[in-house]
Amino acid sequence: MPELPEVEVVRRGLERWASGRTVAAAEVLHPRAVRRHTAGPADFAARLAGRRIGPARRRGKYLWLPFGEDGFSVLAHLGMSGQLLIQPPGTPDEKHLRIRIVFEDAEGGELRFVDQRTFGGLSLHPGEDDAEGLPDVIAHIAPDPLDPAFDEAAFHAALRRRRTTVKRALLDQSLISGVGNIYADEALWRSRLHYERPTATLTRKQTAELVSHVRDVMNAALAAGGTSFDSLYVNVNGESGYFERSLDAYGREDEPCRRCGTPMRRRAWMNRSSFYCPRCQRAPRPVPATR
DNA sequence: ATTCACACCTGGCTGC
DNA sequence: TGCAGCCAGGTGTGAA
């Protein structure tokens, strides 16, 4: 599933293969792929035509491409299965091709949004006067841990204030962005924290270690995902790529913990799975009843 | 205000 | 062999 490292690989691909080019025409093949564009598919296509694409930006799992002239951006989210591909001229349509963007320099290939499950999509938004140029619809998305703007003290304060558990907090994009189920489990394993640990009990040091592990695992994944990147592909197949072999927690039910050898466990949790080591990541003690 | 459950979607896999 | 049902899970929405 595309989480921050996968999305960043796509961003770099867009920067390399789409930025600076001018859109000739856009074609929406599935209306659901532009459902967040409230003015509809025809408006989406019409307003994209003739625009010159600026530098590719990212916050958390969102990507956007600004059009310098009039302050609009095309915002993208890959959802569960979305791909942004630059395909050479003549490439047959993918089964789940949803949006095609043709450039004036057609020989350089076209940009395609391909998405099996259609959880992802593209939309157009006015740019903000915000210095970051952040589209207003993602103003609620917190900086991600690789962003210099990420504020660890504010994150810790928010954790202490919240009445929630640590994995829920990691997946809450308004507290910290870019983390999904896979990297949440990896960071918790590295931090020896149980997913149901109440955030209000975390010490400053534990928060610092957790953030540090989130950064480390993302950087390691980014390094692995970046290797296959120097092709005409904007890349990314929605999988963790080479990094999948390096996972310590996610998907390792019944396999030995790489630290202590105890069989890893899987628990159904919030309509998904949590993988953890029952020895390294002890369940929190129940909070004693107060009277 | 905060927290939480749920809908959305389809291909691959499991089990009968 | 065929088919029903489950599973993957990020996000927006609306309810509690």
Side-chain angles (χ1 to χ4, degrees), chain A residues 98-259:
Chain A
R98 308 305 191 193
I99 298 170
R100 182 201 321 276
I101 294 174
V102 183
F103 296 102
E104 286 184 354
D105 57 329
E107 68 279 5
E110 60 187 36
L111 176 61
R112 296 181 179 179
F113 179 68
V114 178
D115 190 6
Q116 179 213 119
R117 279 179 258 187
T118 66
F119 276 32
L122 271 52
S123 50
L124 289 174
H125 302 278
E128 284 308 283
D129 35 28
D130 171 282
E132 294 293 306
L134 200 69
D136 52 1
V137 290
I138 58 165
H140 63 291
I141 303 292
D144 60 65
L146 301 187
D147 186 335
F150 183 78
D151 185 340
E152 190 179 302
F155 179 56
H156 180 66
L159 292 181
R160 297 286 304 192
R161 197 165 49 232
R162 288 283 182 123
R163 298 267 250 277
T164 189
T165 52
V166 65
K167 186 166 172 181
R168 281 191 135 93
L170 284 175
L171 297 179
D172 184 338
Q173 305 295 302
S174 70
L175 297 178
I176 181 172
S177 69
V179 183
N181 199 42
I182 296 172
Y183 295 118
D185 279 3
E186 293 301 305
L188 290 171
W189 181 85
R190 291 181 178 212
S191 304
R192 302 176 193 237
L193 288 173
H194 190 276
Y195 58 96
E196 285 193 314
R197 173 70 178 267
T199 58
T201 67
L202 290 172
T203 64
R204 183 66 201 262
K205 186 178 171 212
Q206 287 175 315
T207 300
E209 286 177 4
L210 178 59
V211 170
S212 174
H213 285 308
V214 171
R215 275 200 191 103
D216 287 351
V217 72
M218 284 182 167
N219 279 320
L222 199 45
T227 56
S228 61
F229 163 78
D230 196 13
S231 70
L232 199 56
Y233 273 99
V234 175
N235 197 10
V236 164
N237 44 20
E239 305 293 327
S240 298
Y242 296 110
F243 191 70
E244 200 173 330
R245 297 171 214 161
S246 316
L247 295 177
D248 291 314
Y250 185 83
R252 298 197 65 243
E253 183 179 18
D254 296 332
E255 293 176 49
C257 169
R258 294 200 218 275
R259 255 193 317 253

Side-chain angles (χ1 to χ4, degrees), chain A residues 5-148:
Chain A
E6 293 76 24
V7 178
E8 174 59 16
V9 169
V10 174
R11 191 201 65 77
R12 293 176 186 179
L14 289 170
E15 182 81 19
R16 169 74 179 80
W17 301 104
S19 294
R21 300 176 72 189
T22 301
V23 175
E27 182 186 0
V28 177
L29 291 94
H30 194 310
R32 189 173 150 78
V34 293
R35 68 192 179 286
R36 290 192 75 181
H37 187 79
T38 48
D43 182 81
F44 177 88
R47 287 167 67 182
L48 213 43
R51 306 292 179 198
R52 184 171 183 275
I53 294 181
R57 307 287 311 276
R58 180 187 59 73
R59 174 173 280 201
K61 304 170 198 171
Y62 282 92
L63 288 164
W64 70 98
L65 301 167
F67 307 117
E69 316 93 73
D70 53 7
F72 266 82
S73 293
V74 58
L75 179 70
H77 196 290
L78 302 178
M80 299 286 300
S81 53
Q83 298 169 271
L84 282 166
L85 307 170
I86 298 283
Q87 295 290 46
T91 306
D93 288 1
E94 293 79 3
K95 181 176 178 190
H96 301 294
L97 176 62
R98 308 305 191 193
I99 298 170
R100 182 201 321 276
I101 294 174
V102 183
F103 296 102
E104 286 184 354
D105 57 329
E107 68 279 5
E110 60 187 36
L111 176 61
R112 296 181 179 179
F113 179 68
V114 178
D115 190 6
Q116 179 213 119
R117 279 179 258 187
T118 66
F119 276 32
L122 271 52
S123 50
L124 289 174
H125 302 278
E128 284 308 283
D129 35 28
D130 171 282
E132 294 293 306
L134 200 69
D136 52 1
V137 290
I138 58 165
H140 63 291
I141 303 292
D144 60 65
L146 301 187
D147 186 335

